[in-house]
């Protein structure tokens, strides 16, 4: 136990939580640039619903079945997806009640009639004395958006920060990633990959990443959407890095001060000592009572 406490204290001294979170944030921002090239063809990872930035993203997907023959013959049909922005309206709950009663004044503010609003309604929740309504906004076309490339179609965190809302992390990382791709100069992304190179060496991860080459690849595939992404030079030991951060999370936030191999022995020893002390107490108490009677 003393070894485990000492090890945990040493770990936090050599790698403060602030530094660990800084490393996690860098990996979370750069995560979509670091997949094995075969993963970039996965619709599960990369699809319009995973885009978080720029506005009007994120979006909601609506699927329609299109029939090619009269009579809705299901053998000749396909599914088409349409995407709509998710808009938020916050109002006092008292005003929301007026809306529920089809108050013309509130509906005019929205520019909607009651029937249209009903079709676009997604959800609502009460926060204090206010009501937050989510509703379907304008139709958007992610596949034709020039500023939506494959590197923005992913919102998975490599390693979430502890006790920070995940939604907040996802959005902030998406904004940083978008800025690196479209707002800042290429030197900014190059600098990020140079920091990544230092991080990988810090954690003893084998890597073949050359920051300059990877930066060049990212901007090439950003501008060539239809070209198969199979030449990106981002090779490193992905499983080793994942295991390292999983271990660090366990040591930081779920420390096991008793090694599994000695847990049973420790419990038996503690229980045995307690029983012996309890028996000695009973014997001592019995003798004292016997002497008092005499």
């Amino acid at each position: 136990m003393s070894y485990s406490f000492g090890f945990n204290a040493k770990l936090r001294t050599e790698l403060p939580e602030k530094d660990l979170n800084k490393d996690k944030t860098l990996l979370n921002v750069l995560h979509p640039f670091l997949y094995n090239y075969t993963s970039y063809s996965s619709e599960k990872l990369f699809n319009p619903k995973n885009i978080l930035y720029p506005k009007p993203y994120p979006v909601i997907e609506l699927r329609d079945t299109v029939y090619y023959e009269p009579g809705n013959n299901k053998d000749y049909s396909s599914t088409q997806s349409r995407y709509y922005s998710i808009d938020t309206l916050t109002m006092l709950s008292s005003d929301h009640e007026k809306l529920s009663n089809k108050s013309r004044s509130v509906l005019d503010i929205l520019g909607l009639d009651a029937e249209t609003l009903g079709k676009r309604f997604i959800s609502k929740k009460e926060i204090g004395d206010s009501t937050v309504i989510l509703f379907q906004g304008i139709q958007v076309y992610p596949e034709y958006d020039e500023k939506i490339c494959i590197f923005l179609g992913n919102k998975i965190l490599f390693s979430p920060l502890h006790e920070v809302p995940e939604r907040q992390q996802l959005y902030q990382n998406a904004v940083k990633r978008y800025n690196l791709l479209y707002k800042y100069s290429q030197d900014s992304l190059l600098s990020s990959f140079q920091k990544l190179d230092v991080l990988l060496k810090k954690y003893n991860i084998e890597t073949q990443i050359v920051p300059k080459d990877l930066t060049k690849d990212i901007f090439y595939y950003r501008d060539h959407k239809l070209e198969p992404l199979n030449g990106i030079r981002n090779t490193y030991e992905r499983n080793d890095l994942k295991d390292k951060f999983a271990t660090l999370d366990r040591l930081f936030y779920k420390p096991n001060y008793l090694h599994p191999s000695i847990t049973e022995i420790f419990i038996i020893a503690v229980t045995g000592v307690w029983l012996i002390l309890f028996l000695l107490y009973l014997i001592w108490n019995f003798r004292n009572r016997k002497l008092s009677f005499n």
Side-chain angles (χ1 to χ4, degrees):
M1 287 180 69
S2 61
Y3 170 80
S4 297
F5 275 107
F7 178 78
N8 190 264
K10 182 181 179 183
L11 172 66
R12 289 178 176 271
T13 301
E14 294 183 353
L15 181 64
E17 187 175 16
K18 182 179 179 181
D19 291 347
L20 177 63
N21 285 342
K22 186 177 178 181
D23 291 341
K24 283 184 174 183
T25 300
L26 179 65
L27 287 169
N28 287 335
V29 172
L30 299 180
H31 192 35
F33 303 135
L34 302 176
Y35 279 100
N36 188 302
Y37 75 89
T38 56
S39 298
Y40 288 104
S41 60
S42 170
E43 292 183 5
K44 184 177 181 181
L45 290 177
F46 298 94
N47 63 68
K49 290 185 292 182
N50 283 336
I51 301 169
L52 293 174
Y53 190 83
K55 292 182 178 181
Y57 304 95
V59 296
I60 186 172
E61 179 185 33
L62 295 182
R63 290 179 171 242
D64 293 327
T65 301
V66 179
Y67 298 100
Y68 299 114
E69 284 192 354
N72 294 344
N73 187 339
K74 295 183 179 180
D75 293 332
Y76 298 94
S77 64
S78 65
T79 301
Q80 291 183 351
S81 294
R82 290 177 291 134
Y83 299 97
Y84 293 87
S85 63
I86 300 174
D87 292 337
T88 304
L89 175 70
T90 303
M91 64 174 69
L92 291 173
S93 297
S94 56
D95 287 339
H96 177 256
E97 291 179 6
K98 296 177 182 178
L99 176 63
S100 299
N101 295 327
K102 300 182 181 180
S103 169
R104 295 297 302 177
S105 60
V106 180
L107 289 173
D108 288 341
I109 294 174
L110 293 174
L112 301 170
D113 57 38
E115 184 178 354
T116 302
L117 182 62
K119 289 179 180 179
R120 294 190 176 186
F121 177 83
I122 298 174
S123 67
K124 71 173 181 179
K125 64 178 178 178
E126 304 286 338
I127 301 178
D129 60 353
S130 298
T131 298
V132 179
I133 301 173
L134 295 183
F135 63 96
Q136 173 189 318
I138 61 171
Q139 186 171 1
V140 295
Y141 304 90
E143 62 272 30
Y144 302 114
D145 192 328
E146 292 182 358
K147 291 190 176 182
I148 297 299
C149 65
I150 194 167
F151 303 117
L152 294 180
N154 182 286
K155 62 182 179 182
I156 297 173
L157 295 171
F158 173 81
S159 182
L161 274 61
H162 189 60
E163 293 186 346
V164 178
E166 189 167 306
R167 183 70 188 180
Q168 176 184 327
Q169 295 182 56
L170 290 169
Y171 183 76
Q172 290 175 345
N173 293 333
V175 173
K176 292 177 182 177
R177 195 177 303 124
Y178 175 82
N179 288 338
L180 287 172
L181 282 166
Y182 292 104
K183 292 287 187 180
Y184 304 152
S185 68
Q186 293 193 19
D187 288 341
S188 296
L189 185 59
L190 173 61
S191 176
S192 296
F193 285 135
Q194 289 170 338
K195 292 176 184 176
L196 172 70
D197 190 49
V198 172
L199 183 153
L200 294 175
K201 291 174 181 175
K202 170 182 172 182
Y203 291 100
N204 297 317
I205 304 299
E206 186 177 338
T207 174
Q208 297 178 28
I209 289 176
V210 178
K212 200 170 184 178
D213 292 341
L214 183 53
T215 302
K216 183 178 178 182
D217 292 343
I218 295 299
F219 281 97
Y220 176 81
Y221 286 110
R222 181 201 72 173
D223 298 328
H224 296 79
K225 293 183 181 181
L226 301 179
E227 191 160 335
L229 199 156
N230 55 11
I232 190 167
R233 291 168 282 189
N234 62 0
T235 303
Y236 71 100
E237 289 297 327
R238 294 173 175 83
N239 290 334
D240 284 355
L241 185 64
K242 186 176 180 181
D243 290 343
K244 283 272 176 75
F245 275 84
T247 300
L248 285 171
D249 268 358
R250 179 175 57 80
L251 292 174
F252 261 86
Y253 307 116
K254 297 179 182 178
N256 185 3
Y257 296 115
L258 279 178
H259 194 277
S261 63
I262 66 168
T263 301
E264 187 175 346
I265 297 173
F266 179 81
I267 293 173
I268 292 173
V270 170
T271 305
V273 170
W274 183 85
L275 286 173
I276 292 170
L277 292 174
F278 182 67
L279 287 172
L280 289 174
Y281 168 77
L282 290 177
I283 293 170
W284 175 81
N285 190 50
F286 176 75
R287 288 184 64 186
N288 280 349
R289 290 180 63 184
K290 188 175 182 181
L291 288 173
S292 65
F293 281 123
N294 292 336

